[in-house]
Amino acid sequence: MSDALTPLALIEDDSWLEPYEPEIRARLQRCLDTRAAIEAAHGSLRAFASAHHHLGFSYDPDQRGWWYREWAPAAEALYLIGDFNGWERRSHPLHMREDGVWEVFVPDADTPLTHESKVKVHVLTRDGARDRIPAYIRRTVQDPQSHDFAGQIWHPETPFVWTDETYQPDPDAALYIYECHPGMAQEKHGVGTWREFADNVLPRVKDLGYNVIQMMAVQEHPYYGSFGYHVSSLFAPSSRFGTPEDLKYLINAAHGMGIAVIMDIVHSHAVKNIAEGLAFFDGSDDQYFHPGGRGYHTGWDSYLYNYGKREVQQFLLSNVAYWLEEFHFDGYRFDGVTSMMYIHHGDMVSFETYDQYFKEGDEWDAITYLQLANLLAHEVRTPCITIAEDMSGMPGCCRPVLEGGLGFDYRLGMGIPDYWIKMLKHKPDEAWDIFDMWYTLTNRRWKEKTVAYTESHDQALVGDKTLAFWLMDKEMYWNMQVGTQNLAIDRGIALHKMLRLLTAGLGGEAYLNFMGNEFGHPEWIDFPREGNGWSYQYARRQWSLVDNQDLKYRFMNDFDRAMLQLMQAHQVLEDPEIEQLNMDMENQAIIFSRGGLVFVFNFSPTSSVPDYEFYVPEPGTYRIILSSDDPAYGGFGRIDTSLAYFTQDDEMDSSFLSIYLTNRTALVLQREEA
């Protein structure tokens, strides 16, 4: 039980939360009470979250055979079917226990289940009978002719050999995240594989300097074009990218390069497909999901879990433990956290008052679940990374549970890319408001870490445009050759570099990039569908563009590498102190210090200022260590980066520098040690 007299750090750090202390204490108490009940019944939270070792398929070496168990309390009968018994629907009945779990034992001496056996479960309900995919299945495969999915026993004779025993992420290092989708990570017109990603893309990620990959579409999903967010089998890695061993190969290779691997985990909703998913599994509409309207998300056309039901908690928490244990993932990006936390899912809600966080539409069971999931994840794997996709700004989202928070390590700065797109769509360059830019990039909760990004996969989907395409549009088709002069391309490359550096340097404590955007990958993402003739033209990454030395894409790629190397070398994101040094609306200049460096931005489309003066934190000699105007990064070389700049003192003994500040240029300066 929590002590009502013990101060909560979350409230101590934000006096505006004091009127909501009862609600904050109540959400903490609900979590503690739920955990206490779980521990009383199961011994520990981790033991509770081990259902995947008991439910589903598990091999019994003592009895020499397979157990299959399924929780289906409302079902009338269950039968195990598969190619092992000729899909005979009555030969292997399951028997129901008192806890609503059905089970059957298939001995090796009879018609044995073997590695790669295809299986389903025939479920009889009051409304009829259907062949279903087991809920805890660890692999599904799709028939190439019928396109039907079936479960598959995965029990290779030789277990995968991990070589990452010595790998451990640095818990104090800032995250530089490379968001990626394995299927569209290759240039071919088709679906990429786990191994192709490991062999072809990971070396690029390592070369650029990213230390985390965030993988989309890991959990099985029947429709490829859902981007992996309409999940059907939570415990099965998507077979369209290869085998479970292939996924382990990828993660093992990443760890060998010093790269952490996190995955999008989708517990915010589930596909409504009956053939592949969990809907009406035992014939009821409230087994895994809320019944009626509360269990359906109209915007996503999917079903919503009942997070207050103990069996659903166990199912989802076991899923959290499973991926960390079985595949050595280093953490999760939790999808759709805003949708989970509020009964209204955040739809059409501005979140302008604290009432909207604590008194209007809170889904308390989901909040308790998220707290438990974070506690569990950090217990199973240490260190562990958890990131919330929350656009609401819930106070305490990224604070420890015992401080009154939800326990996430980071939240996505979702307002930042939306802001940049809005700027590019609606304002000419000369109307950009630098004070508005500063506010957007620094407006985040104290002691709650933010992942900053200019664009993720969301901004690249068909119907929108990548940042590069917003900047350069169709000119990218004809004017990206080195040596070709084009004002739109010059502007686009210059601003692409500046926006990314400003976002990375100012916008958070971690930085994210979606694969290919580092070099300004053109166009949008559009998965194969009937409307585009099932084409893979836009569901791939054209690495040949950046590899071609005759094209300008390499300039943006090389700047991205230099930016990351500089920020990591000086631990810029680890520094919580950002000092604003100069804001000049007339010349659209932003200057600040962080990580012992001075960042200088001139967003003016026309104003280049000789002898531009600004104050710096310390006197001494400064040198430019990064210039976006360097010809190596597609710039014009207007600034001599070999020069030393010496501070001068004004009448108040404050130190200032004078430099040549060219238009559409970003500079980073470092003070030389005496």
Side-chain angles (χ1 to χ4, degrees):
M1 301 286 288
S2 67
D3 186 348
L5 300 179
T6 303
L8 288 177
L10 177 62
I11 297 173
E12 287 187 313
D13 290 335
D14 183 355
S15 61
W16 289 94
L17 288 174
E18 289 178 2
Y20 304 92
E21 183 171 355
E23 287 78 16
I24 294 172
R25 287 193 179 277
R27 77 180 183 186
L28 172 58
Q29 194 62 55
R30 271 188 289 270
C31 175
L32 297 178
D33 290 347
T34 303
R35 179 165 188 166
I38 288 171
E39 290 173 343
H42 298 270
S44 68
L45 180 63
R46 188 157 185 183
F48 175 68
S50 63
H52 53 291
H53 297 303
H54 178 72
L55 295 172
F57 291 88
S58 57
Y59 188 76
D60 188 330
D62 297 326
Q63 298 188 59
R64 301 181 64 82
W66 285 87
W67 282 101
Y68 169 53
R69 300 182 178 94
E70 192 76 59
W71 174 62
E76 295 181 354
L78 270 71
Y79 300 89
L80 178 62
I81 61 175
D83 52 16
F84 77 103
N85 65 3
W87 302 96
E88 170 54 50
R89 286 192 170 89
R90 291 292 188 271
S91 65
H92 286 76
L94 280 71
H95 303 282
M96 188 179 185
R97 305 184 321 205
E98 292 183 0
D99 58 0
V101 173
W102 300 74
E103 63 182 10
V104 64
F105 181 72
V106 183
D108 292 345
D110 294 343
T111 53
L113 288 166
T114 59
H115 177 54
E116 296 187 336
S117 290
K118 293 180 181 178
V119 292
K120 287 188 178 183
V121 57
H122 186 65
V123 183
L124 271 63
T125 73
R126 60 178 180 268
D127 295 323
R130 292 189 180 96
D131 297 340
R132 305 298 298 262
I133 294 176
Y136 282 82
I137 197 71
R138 298 192 181 192
R139 177 166 166 80
T140 68
V141 290
Q142 187 175 24
D143 185 275
Q145 276 74 47
S146 68
H147 303 295
D148 290 338
F149 280 85
Q152 189 177 51
I153 300 296
W154 195 255
H155 192 62
E157 185 175 331
T158 304
F160 183 84
V161 178
W162 292 93
T163 60
D164 66 345
E165 294 85 359
T166 60
Y167 171 74
Q168 186 171 349
D170 181 353
D172 299 320
L175 307 184
Y176 293 86
I177 304 169
Y178 199 80
E179 185 188 30
C180 50
H181 184 289
M184 56 172 289
Q186 306 304 311
E187 188 151 358
K188 66 183 181 182
H189 287 252
V191 179
T193 68
W194 307 117
R195 285 184 175 266
E196 286 176 327
F197 187 94
D199 295 341
N200 301 333
V201 182
L202 275 181
R204 295 179 182 271
V205 178
K206 175 68 174 177
D207 174 67
L208 287 167
Y210 291 90
N211 58 12
V212 181
I213 58 171
Q214 178 180 301
M215 300 190 68
M216 307 171 63
V218 173
Q219 296 171 292
E220 190 62 275
H221 47 289
Y223 178 48
Y224 186 45
S226 75
F227 235 142
Y229 292 120
H230 275 195
V231 169
S232 53
S233 296
L234 276 71
F235 291 83
S238 180
S239 59
R240 56 173 56 88
F241 310 133
T243 69
E245 266 57 38
D246 293 336
L247 175 55
K248 293 177 181 179
Y249 172 87
L250 188 165
I251 297 170
N252 198 51
H255 287 170
M257 297 180 183
I259 299 172
V261 187
I262 62 178
M263 62 174 273
D264 280 5
I265 193 165
V266 186
H267 287 178
S268 50
H269 63 135
V271 70
K272 71 175 187 179
N273 301 28
I274 292 177
E276 296 90 5
L278 298 170
F280 306 101
F281 191 94
D282 67 354
S284 67
D285 66 349
D286 63 348
Q287 182 184 359
Y288 286 97
F289 311 115
H290 283 292
R294 189 176 176 185
Y296 177 69
H297 195 301
T298 56
W300 293 349
D301 191 26
S302 52
Y303 287 128
L304 302 173
Y305 292 104
N306 181 352
Y307 302 103
K309 183 179 286 191
R310 192 69 81 227
E311 292 88 351
V312 177
Q313 293 171 354
Q314 185 173 42
F315 176 69
L316 295 175
L317 289 172
S318 297
N319 194 241
V320 169
Y322 166 73
W323 293 101
L324 300 176
E325 294 171 349
E326 182 69 20
F327 291 93
H328 294 199
F329 276 99
D330 299 294
Y332 298 110
R333 170 210 183 257
F334 279 76
D335 172 67
V337 166
T338 304
S339 176
M340 296 173 70
M341 292 192 299
Y342 309 97
I343 293 175
H344 52 64
H345 311 306
D347 294 343
M348 308 302 291
V349 179
S350 59
F351 295 102
E352 294 176 345
T353 70
Y354 279 166
D355 277 5
Q356 293 171 305
Y357 295 121
F358 301 111
K359 294 180 180 292
E360 299 175 6
D362 300 84
E363 173 64 275
W364 294 115
D365 289 335
I367 290 173
T368 298
Y369 167 71
L370 290 170
Q371 291 172 307
L372 292 173
N374 276 299
L375 290 170
L376 174 68
H378 289 90
E379 180 182 334
V380 172
R381 192 163 183 84
T382 305
C384 187
I385 303 162
T386 59
I387 302 172
E389 189 203 24
D390 171 36
M391 49 73 63
S392 75
M394 166 65 80
C397 180
C398 303
R399 295 290 292 270
V401 171
L402 293 180
E403 293 184 3
L406 303 190
F408 287 99
D409 299 296
Y410 298 85
R411 65 152 48 89
L412 290 175
M414 301 179 69
I416 299 174
D418 291 343
Y419 174 78
W420 290 135
I421 297 302
K422 181 180 177 181
M423 286 270 287
L424 294 172
K425 287 175 69 173
H426 301 298
K427 288 190 177 182
D429 298 2
E430 59 272 16
W432 288 13
D433 186 334
I434 60 168
F435 291 94
D436 200 31
M437 293 161 66
W438 179 275
Y439 174 79
T440 299
L441 288 168
T442 58
N443 180 29
R444 52 187 181 272
R445 294 191 63 82
W446 186 41
K447 293 186 178 181
E448 298 199 40
K449 294 181 178 180
T450 293
V451 180
Y453 56 107
T454 58
E455 54 186 334
S456 68
H457 70 275
D458 285 327
Q459 286 71 43
L461 287 170
V462 65
D464 207 331
K465 299 179 183 179
T466 64
L467 190 68
F469 216 56
W470 275 115
L471 288 164
M472 295 175 274
D473 207 74
K474 63 182 183 300
E475 298 298 328
M476 297 185 76
Y477 293 126
W478 319 109
N479 295 288
M480 289 298 283
Q481 294 81 10
V482 173
T484 299
Q485 299 298 312
N486 183 278
L487 292 177
I489 298 298
D490 292 343
R491 167 187 175 267
I493 291 178
L495 290 176
H496 190 272
K497 293 178 291 186
M498 294 181 69
L499 293 178
R500 294 169 75 81
L501 179 60
L502 183 65
T503 300
L506 196 58
E509 294 71 34
Y511 176 70
L512 177 143
N513 164 64
F514 180 67
M515 63 176 187
N517 288 350
E518 68 276 6
F519 65 83
H521 197 287
E523 300 172 331
W524 51 84
I525 297 167
D526 189 14
F527 284 92
R529 54 187 174 85
E530 187 175 0
N532 65 15
W534 303 103
S535 170
Y536 287 91
Q537 174 65 29
Y538 300 110
R540 60 196 183 106
R541 296 286 90 177
Q542 299 181 59
W543 305 109
S544 59
L545 295 175
V546 69
D547 292 340
N548 188 334
Q549 295 299 295
D550 294 327
L551 297 178
K552 296 180 180 180
Y553 295 98
R554 64 180 173 89
F555 294 141
M556 291 177 280
N557 188 79
D558 292 346
F559 183 81
D560 198 71
R561 183 192 299 109
M563 177 181 79
L564 266 59
Q565 290 176 351
L566 178 147
M567 296 186 70
Q568 289 174 326
H570 295 273
Q571 296 184 308
V572 172
L573 297 186
E574 288 87 339
D575 185 358
E577 300 298 327
I578 301 172
E579 183 179 359
Q580 185 185 103
L581 301 176
N582 187 65
M583 297 290 283
D584 176 0
M585 192 65 183
E586 181 180 353
N587 293 295
Q588 293 179 286
I590 299 174
I591 305 176
F592 64 92
S593 64
R594 188 179 187 187
L597 304 177
V598 175
F599 292 78
V600 181
F601 295 84
N602 178 357
F603 281 97
S604 171
T606 57
S607 180
S608 294
V609 187
D611 299 321
Y612 191 87
E613 297 178 354
F614 57 92
Y615 289 102
V616 291
E618 295 182 87
T621 302
Y622 287 76
R623 291 188 181 273
I624 296 172
I625 58 175
L626 181 65
S627 170
S628 68
D629 198 52
D630 193 312
Y633 311 128
F636 296 98
R638 295 168 290 173
I639 299 174
D640 187 350
T641 57
S642 67
L643 295 178
Y645 296 89
F646 307 97
T647 57
Q648 304 172 56
D649 293 334
D650 63 13
E651 63 275 8
M652 302 296 292
D653 291 328
S654 296
S655 300
F656 66 91
L657 285 177
S658 176
I659 68 171
Y660 178 33
L661 185 58
T662 56
N663 69 309
R664 285 187 181 141
T665 300
L667 305 172
V668 182
L669 293 89
Q670 180 184 14
R671 178 179 173 272
E672 290 186 344
E673 295 296 329

